[in-house]
Amino acid sequence: MTTSNPTVTHLPARRNTVRTNRTLQKVGVWVSLLLGAAFAGLPILWMVSSSFKDNSEIFAWPPKLITENFSFAAYTSVFTDPVKVRFFVNSYVIAITVTVLTLVVAILAAYAFSRFEFRGKALVNVVIVGIQAVPPITLLIPYFGLIVALRLYNTYQGLVLTYMVFTLPYAIVMMTGYFNTLPRELDEAARVDGTSSFGALWRILVPISMPGIVSVAVYTFMIAWNEYLFALTLTRTDNMRTVPIGIQLLMGQHSYEWSEMMAMSVLGSIPVLVLFVFFQKFFIGGMTAGAVKN
Amino acid sequence: MSAPTIPAPTAPSPARPGRPAGAAPGRRRTSLGRRLAPYGYLAPVAVLMLVLMILPVAVVIRYSFFDNVIISPTSVLVGLRNYVQILTDPLFRTATRNTAVFTGVSVLAHLVLGLGFAMLLNSPLLGRRTKTVFRTIFVMPWLLTVAIIAILWRLLLDPNGVVNFGLQSVGLIDGPVAWFSELNLALPAVTVMNIWAGYPFFMVSLLAGLQGISADLYEAAAVDGASWWRRFFHVTLPSLRPIIISMALLDVIWTSQQFPLIWMTTGGGPLERTEMLSTYTYKLAFSEYQFAQASASAVIMLLVALVLAVFYVRHQRARD
């Protein structure tokens, strides 16, 4: 556009064209940004707005983004219902346990991948990447039998154990990537000083790897917090249900409690959103490192 | 695979690695310790993967050749009968077709939207703070739990909901539409919902890719008088090609396995119009208790996923 006819135009005129073109471009970029923001953000805004409405106003015609009868009633009713509070407690207990266990196992494995040469390394690597492709539904059928046989059906342990199959591959890939960015001399110097290899990992590598560990932790927490299929199938009673299943249970029990469902959705989204806002840099860095560059 | 030059250790040895390689006599023990240490560190993950991955996959493959598994203590080997039943089931074919359409359209739209948003966020015309704010907004759908996305879209697309109001106000539709229960609209509706839920995954990675393209390439193109489109097709796209292929393969794998979004909105209906391989398999197992046939279907899904995974791993290797 700017270079379509450069030879005939005089200099001042050309500068003007360039400026108009830049303004036009800027307008175009902003219009696209705002359209994009509407596409991405309006549904979420609607979720938040609906959570402050009375259930009778959910389908008010015409719809209102901000209701005059603004109220926290839906939130109060979620917080005062022990069954619903329990959904959140379950989700937190499970997600945090999965995160801690995944970190421990993944840090040990990543240390082996990053700092040692051993037989079968390349094969194990391929297996770990391949595992990410296995459909959850394929695992669910044997898990069902396995979990029942191990008497872990409808327990925290059953969910924690099965979730780790999803969280570990990422965590190992991301953690290995992070360790690889740290110079080997760091831990090898410690080894020369007589520290065991575990000591070098625990006292040297782990403390300086906090950014990497945080990004793995955030990502792991998010996978565990969001899981649906296993939670649906491997638990049975309300006292073991997690938030994603709990929200679904609100649907169609009596009538649709839309405001409560939206309040629970907002509350259910907050942990991941907060983690994202605080650790945005780690999060995106870790995600692209893990997913793009295995 | 890089075969190590040292033969595998045979003697049992303490898992704890040896002393540092200071003196010559200590050397042997160190190298032995160093050779065994990685296996010690890998032991927890190896045990978990054995119990959670290798064993279950073996079990599901075994189930798929038997009859009445899980529900009956005596099951009989039936060979390929389950596979024949699945592959000749018209519903399986419907599910395959729906999954293909759902996945193809979703992945393409994820790529186009993700690339569009990433290029906007990479625009030199915007300030840093503006970029951060809009990046956060654009990435938000991806941060929501799928169960929440499903519920939210049921609210949005309800016949009395806000989307119908909007479309009626601008005259695109005459009356309220029940998007998730109309025969010809259910599949497009779940696809749109899935597009909304998944594009940020592409966006984030492509943005990182765009930031990695050397400015020199664009300057050289600009000096040559290349138009925006030429720069896009000759600089941007070729540079992003490896990332695009990786992302697309991963997205095909995951989208073709999508379960919660479908299960919580249409449940595969109306009249199997949104039945996917995942919902089909799930119903066979946990609604009809046909675990053997469900296992056959699950193994077929696994094979498809593994073929895609092989392409993915090869592509990753080629990049490194």
Side-chain angles (χ1 to χ4, degrees):
Chain A
M1 301 173 267
T2 50
T3 50
S4 52
N5 212 352
T7 42
V8 274
T9 27
H10 297 291
L11 201 64
R14 186 165 177 242
R15 192 178 287 156
N16 259 340
T17 337
V18 169
R19 191 175 297 156
T20 356
N21 266 324
R22 255 186 102 75
T23 319
L24 271 178
Q25 273 178 17
K26 217 164 178 172
V27 170
V29 165
W30 271 97
V31 168
S32 321
L33 271 182
L34 293 175
L35 282 177
F39 174 71
L42 280 184
I44 295 170
L45 205 58
W46 195 251
M47 168 175 96
V48 177
S49 129
S50 301
S51 73
F52 293 115
K53 289 179 186 167
D54 186 86
N55 209 42
S56 59
E57 296 176 292
I58 288 286
F59 295 121
W61 203 270
K64 277 191 194 122
L65 189 60
I66 297 164
T67 161
E68 301 100 56
N69 312 323
F70 183 92
S71 96
F72 285 98
Y75 290 90
T76 322
S77 99
V78 169
F79 279 124
T80 51
D81 182 344
V83 177
K84 285 165 198 150
V85 172
R86 182 68 190 247
F87 296 151
F88 283 92
V89 173
N90 291 341
S91 269
Y92 276 108
V93 169
I94 291 169
I96 290 170
T97 315
V98 168
T99 306
V100 171
L101 291 177
T102 300
L103 276 180
V104 171
V105 176
I107 285 173
L108 292 176
Y111 185 49
F113 279 121
S114 173
R115 293 302 197 254
F116 294 90
E117 287 306 320
F118 54 90
R119 198 173 256 266
K121 183 174 177 178
L123 183 69
V124 181
N125 232 330
V126 169
V127 169
I128 285 179
V129 175
I131 282 172
Q132 298 177 33
V134 175
I137 186 89
T138 307
L139 294 173
L140 182 65
I141 296 167
Y143 278 1
F144 187 68
L146 182 79
I147 292 294
V148 171
L150 292 173
R151 299 184 180 282
L152 293 177
Y153 181 68
N154 205 35
T155 62
Y156 285 151
Q157 295 94 308
L159 289 188
V160 168
L161 191 68
T162 49
Y163 284 9
M164 287 183 72
V165 81
F166 299 126
T167 57
L168 274 175
Y170 283 103
I172 293 174
V173 168
M174 283 165 73
M175 211 56 238
T176 307
Y178 196 86
F179 281 160
N180 282 342
T181 63
L182 304 172
R184 268 166 181 262
E185 288 74 29
L186 280 172
D187 40 307
E188 267 163 18
R191 300 286 303 279
V192 170
D193 291 343
T195 317
S196 67
S197 74
F198 181 77
L201 168 66
W202 183 242
R203 283 198 291 274
I204 313 288
L205 279 184
V206 166
I208 56 171
S209 299
M210 274 308 153
I213 292 175
V214 168
S215 78
V216 175
V218 170
Y219 209 63
T220 306
F221 182 92
M222 178 174 151
I223 295 176
W225 184 266
N226 290 348
E227 206 286 330
Y228 176 83
L229 179 61
F230 289 1
L232 175 71
T233 319
L234 302 179
T235 63
R236 189 187 58 234
T237 55
D238 279 354
N239 65 336
M240 276 297 137
R241 297 296 200 183
T242 57
V243 172
I245 313 298
I247 292 173
Q248 187 196 11
L249 291 177
L250 281 180
M251 193 168 66
Q253 238 175 358
H254 314 289
S255 58
Y256 283 16
E257 294 292 338
W258 282 113
S259 2
E260 272 188 48
M261 283 197 277
M262 288 303 121
M264 260 186 93
S265 298
V266 170
L267 293 169
S269 308
I270 283 174
V272 175
L273 286 178
V274 167
L275 286 174
F276 180 79
V277 169
F278 276 98
F279 300 110
Q280 189 161 166
K281 213 172 171 170
F282 297 139
F283 196 85
I284 288 183
M287 199 221 127
T288 45
V292 182
K293 204 91 182 88
N294 270 308
Chain B
M1 220 184 304
S2 58
T5 48
I6 325 153
T10 44
S13 152
R16 200 156 254 277
R19 301 196 44 81
R27 257 231 147 81
R28 271 183 66 91
R29 281 180 60 204
T30 303
S31 66
L32 186 67
R34 252 196 107 71
R35 266 184 284 147
L36 285 179
Y39 298 106
Y41 292 119
L42 286 171
V45 73
V47 170
L48 281 170
M49 285 303 147
L50 185 75
V51 176
L52 292 176
M53 180 57 66
I54 297 169
L55 194 71
V57 168
V59 166
V60 75
I61 293 173
R62 187 182 167 278
Y63 281 169
S64 71
F65 294 110
F66 278 79
D67 198 359
N68 292 326
V69 291
I70 299 186
I71 42 168
S72 156
T74 52
S75 54
V76 195
L77 186 73
V78 294
L80 291 172
R81 204 180 74 192
N82 293 321
Y83 288 94
V84 172
Q85 277 175 346
I86 290 294
L87 291 171
T88 54
D89 184 355
L91 189 51
F92 177 80
R93 267 175 272 164
T94 308
T96 309
R97 200 170 50 234
N98 289 341
T99 308
V101 172
F102 176 72
T103 307
V105 175
S106 294
V107 172
L108 196 66
H110 283 162
L111 170 62
V112 171
L113 280 178
L115 184 57
F117 282 138
M119 289 177 69
L120 271 178
L121 291 176
N122 199 42
S123 162
L125 299 168
L126 299 173
R128 260 179 80 90
R129 185 160 296 174
T130 317
K131 285 181 184 177
T132 312
V133 169
F134 279 95
R135 188 184 61 192
T136 310
I137 297 174
F138 290 167
V139 94
M140 275 177 101
W142 187 65
L143 299 175
L144 295 193
T145 304
V146 273
I148 291 173
I149 292 174
I151 297 282
L152 174 59
W153 278 80
R154 285 183 70 142
L155 175 68
L156 295 171
L157 294 183
D158 191 277
N160 302 314
V162 66
V163 169
N164 274 306
F165 176 82
L167 292 177
Q168 274 174 269
S169 317
V170 297
L172 279 172
I173 50 173
D174 297 329
V177 176
W179 297 91
F180 285 130
S181 39
E182 291 269 348
L183 284 181
N184 294 320
L185 295 175
L187 189 56
V190 292
T191 310
V192 167
M193 170 176 67
N194 186 55
I195 291 168
W196 185 82
Y199 75 85
F201 178 62
F202 271 81
M203 182 191 86
V204 169
S205 304
L206 290 174
L207 183 57
L210 282 173
Q211 286 162 348
I213 301 177
S214 158
D216 298 351
L217 284 174
Y218 286 111
E219 272 163 30
V223 169
D224 290 346
S227 68
W228 186 90
W229 283 104
R230 280 186 69 87
R231 275 177 284 161
F232 177 73
F233 281 110
H234 294 279
V235 180
T236 312
L237 271 189
S239 309
L240 293 178
R241 214 179 97 100
I243 301 181
I244 290 176
I245 295 176
S246 294
M247 293 284 100
L249 278 169
L250 283 180
D251 201 24
V252 168
I253 293 173
W254 290 332
T255 307
S256 61
Q257 300 167 1
Q258 177 58 254
F259 175 81
L261 280 184
I262 310 289
W263 192 248
M264 292 182 67
T265 50
T266 63
L271 284 177
E272 291 102 31
R273 290 301 173 96
T274 60
E275 195 78 273
M276 302 287 157
L277 287 173
S278 59
T279 53
Y280 170 80
T281 311
Y282 187 86
K283 283 180 189 168
L284 266 182
F286 297 99
S287 309
E288 298 173 29
Y289 304 106
Q290 298 288 340
F291 285 102
Q293 287 175 30
S295 298
S297 173
V299 171
I300 295 171
M301 286 181 72
L302 175 68
L303 289 177
V304 174
L306 287 185
V307 169
L308 292 166
V310 167
F311 280 113
Y312 178 75
V313 170
R314 275 202 183 160
H315 176 68
Q316 291 292 332
R317 286 240 181 107
R319 283 174 69 187
D320 290 337

